Amino acid sequence: MYMGDRSSEVAVPLLDGGAGGGDAHRDDPLKQRLPVSGSTSFFKTCFNGVNALSGVGILSIPYALASGGWLSLLLFFLVAASTYYTALLIQKCMEMDRTIRTYPDIGHRSFGHLGRALLSVSMNVELYLVSTGFLIVEGDNLHGLFPNMEFQIAGITIGAKNGFILLVTCLLMVLTFCPDNMSFVSYFSAGGVIASSVLVCTVLWAAAVDGVGFHHNNGTLINVEGLPTAVSLYAFCYCAHPVFPTLYNSMSNQRQFSKVMLVCFVFCTLGYSVTAIMGYLMFGPNLQSQITLNLPKDKISSKVAIYTTIINPLAKYTLMVTPIVHAIENRIVVYNPSKGCRVLIRMGLLLSSMAVAVAIPFFEILMSLVGAFLSITASVIFPCLCYLKMSGDYRRFRRKSAAIWGIVLVGVVVLVVGTYVAMRDIYLQLLR
């Protein structure tokens, strides 16, 4: 999952200097800007790209495979290939206009202020819902470790899961008083790559060494009813496209960007697919929304996986909400906002995230909604439409443009069906 630095400039923690920072641009943001190049090497850009693509999606992808069945893996690889191709389309858009620095810039260059607004809104809503998902992950995994815990507040008994969400919210509240410079937190959150690797290794260790084993060798070949959820969760795993312009501008040799994307997508696809297959073989149809909830709590490997899952979102939460804070500041504050204003905005976002996490504590459904409605929009549909508009290929019929229109059509189908299924599932869960 990607992390941000400003509402109009989404960035991951870069390991080297580059073009990741800057002020929010008003009026026509593409005017009076020079082409940008950075100093980040090929290897470091690969690390940053993997960090952007790897996230909490690795927790839910075994559940996605269990929902869709073994043949849904073909759709997973199709999603991976499509999003890799749209990443290359973003590169082509930036090569056509060297003044572009951010993802919303591409929207502005293609469709004016409306394009910028749509991309900015989709990015910030996605960040908000993913940060809410972090709170649900914390509550679920802490509840798994301490299932009999109860909290008493002002004579009111709060259940374990909601109590842990409240506790984590209080811990995160402390970060709202931190300085606005988030560089330290961003570098700490770069451990997300290590955390994802640790999770894959500990799941394998639990199966091979700690006695869980691979007992579900058959499984369901295909589950048509679960395919929309599966594809939506697959799309959620590849929602880092708003970061790619920042990575491109940070590179010292931007011609190698396509190779960086290939390395990142192959590495992450391998990690996701291995985790999905191992999880399905280990737990079959009994897989829960996060694979850590299935792991036996008395094993060391399981505890390492669970604690890694708990610590990682705590480090990333503040980075996720920072671009939303800047977006709100840019809209409602006409002067230089004070630290107190920033603190109040962050506290409001945190408390509203907690309210949503308590009201809709269904991680897999919420992330399925993010994948179907927002990830498909930002990572599949928008890159295709922006490229067609900037290149002028929408005016003429070619095999390449026909293929891109085909991707758009499939993306729209996934968006409509996946969003409907996710909203329906949320409604049904709330009725229970």
Side-chain angles (χ1 to χ4, degrees), residues 320-400:
M320 300 298 285
V321 300
T322 297
I324 311 175
V325 172
H326 285 293
I328 296 174
E329 289 174 352
N330 291 339
R331 296 297 179 269
I332 67 175
V333 181
V334 296
Y335 56 88
N336 187 29
S338 64
K339 180 180 179 181
C341 177
R342 293 191 179 99
V343 169
L344 288 176
I345 294 173
R346 285 194 173 95
M347 289 178 64
L349 286 171
L350 180 57
L351 292 175
S352 65
S353 294
M354 181 192 71
V356 175
V358 171
I360 312 176
F362 319 118
F363 176 78
E364 73 283 6
I365 302 177
L366 191 62
M367 295 305 102
S368 176
L369 177 61
V370 172
F373 185 63
L374 297 169
S375 300
I376 285 291
T377 300
S379 298
V380 177
I381 298 176
F382 274 157
C384 292
L385 294 180
C386 290
Y387 173 79
L388 289 170
K389 184 65 166 61
M390 290 182 64
S391 66
D393 283 353
Y394 71 95
R395 299 191 189 98
R396 44 191 177 268
F397 183 83
R398 296 177 178 175
R399 284 187 296 179
K400 181 178 180 180

Side-chain angles (χ1 to χ4, degrees), residues 84-98 106 244-245 248 251 253-259 261 383 387:
Y84 167 68
Y85 182 69
T86 56
L88 299 184
L89 292 183
I90 290 177
Q91 178 187 5
K92 292 182 182 298
C93 289
M94 300 192 70
E95 289 173 347
M96 282 186 277
D97 188 337
R98 302 294 294 179
I106 297 177
F244 294 157
Y248 178 85
M251 291 190 68
N253 185 357
Q254 296 172 345
R255 288 177 296 180
Q256 293 184 323
F257 183 76
S258 59
K259 295 179 181 178
M261 289 292 97
Y387 173 79

Side-chain angles (χ1 to χ4, degrees), residues 37-55:
S37 61
S39 58
T40 309
S41 67
F42 175 87
F43 175 78
K44 290 181 178 180
T45 307
C46 288
F47 187 92
N48 289 324
V50 172
N51 187 32
L53 283 170
S54 63

Side-chain angles (χ1 to χ4, degrees), residues 107-379:
H108 186 277
R109 174 65 174 78
S110 303
F111 301 103
H113 292 292
L114 178 61
R116 171 177 289 277
L118 288 174
L119 283 175
S120 297
V121 168
S122 65
M123 285 162 45
N124 286 312
V125 173
E126 184 172 12
L127 287 170
Y128 178 81
L129 291 179
V130 171
S131 63
T132 301
F134 283 169
L135 295 180
I136 300 174
V137 167
E138 299 292 319
D140 285 342
N141 284 277
L142 287 170
H143 182 205
L145 288 176
F146 309 101
N148 300 319
M149 181 76 72
E150 287 188 347
F151 296 84
Q152 294 284 340
I153 300 177
I156 301 175
T157 301
I158 302 177
K161 182 175 178 178
N162 289 339
F164 282 122
I165 290 176
L166 179 60
L167 177 62
V168 171
T169 300
C170 293
L171 292 175
L172 291 172
M173 195 74 72
V174 177
L175 295 179
T176 63
F177 297 94
C178 291
D180 193 50
N181 182 357
M182 302 305 297
S183 60
F184 175 77
V185 180
S186 67
Y187 277 98
F188 181 72
S189 73
V193 178
I194 300 175
S196 298
S197 302
V198 168
L199 179 62
V200 175
C201 292
T202 51
V203 170
L204 178 60
W205 184 273
V209 179
D210 283 345
V212 176
F214 301 104
H215 304 297
H216 297 269
N217 297 326
N218 295 323
T220 302
L221 187 62
I222 186 169
N223 178 18
V224 176
E225 185 178 352
L227 282 180
T229 298
V231 175
S232 299
L233 290 173
Y234 293 155
F236 174 68
C237 295
Y238 294 98
C239 61
H241 287 56
V243 169
F244 294 157
T246 301
L247 296 181
Y248 178 85
N249 284 325
S250 74
M251 291 190 68
S252 57
N253 185 357
Q254 296 172 345
R255 288 177 296 180
Q256 293 184 323
F257 183 76
S258 59
K259 295 179 181 178
V260 168
M261 289 292 97
L262 181 62
V263 171
C264 294
F265 273 85
V266 168
F267 182 87
C268 290
T269 299
L270 181 62
Y272 281 133
S273 57
V274 167
T275 305
I277 293 170
M278 283 196 305
Y280 197 26
L281 289 175
M282 291 166 66
F283 303 109
N286 300 319
L287 271 163
Q288 299 187 53
S289 62
Q290 304 151 54
I291 191 171
T292 50
L293 302 179
N294 287 96
L295 297 176
K297 304 302 185 293
D298 58 335
K299 304 295 184 181
I300 295 179
S301 60
S302 302
K303 291 181 179 179
V304 171
I306 294 171
Y307 285 127
T308 300
T309 301
I310 290 172
I311 293 173
N312 198 34
L314 287 175
K316 290 185 176 182
Y317 181 89
T318 302
L319 273 171
M320 300 298 285
V321 300
T322 297
I324 311 175
V325 172
H326 285 293
I328 296 174
E329 289 174 352
N330 291 339
R331 296 297 179 269
I332 67 175
V333 181
V334 296
Y335 56 88
N336 187 29
S338 64
K339 180 180 179 181
C341 177
R342 293 191 179 99
V343 169
L344 288 176
I345 294 173
R346 285 194 173 95
M347 289 178 64
L349 286 171
L350 180 57
L351 292 175
S352 65
S353 294
M354 181 192 71
V356 175
V358 171
I360 312 176
F362 319 118
F363 176 78
E364 73 283 6
I365 302 177
L366 191 62
M367 295 305 102
S368 176
L369 177 61
V370 172
F373 185 63
L374 297 169
S375 300
I376 285 291
T377 300
S379 298

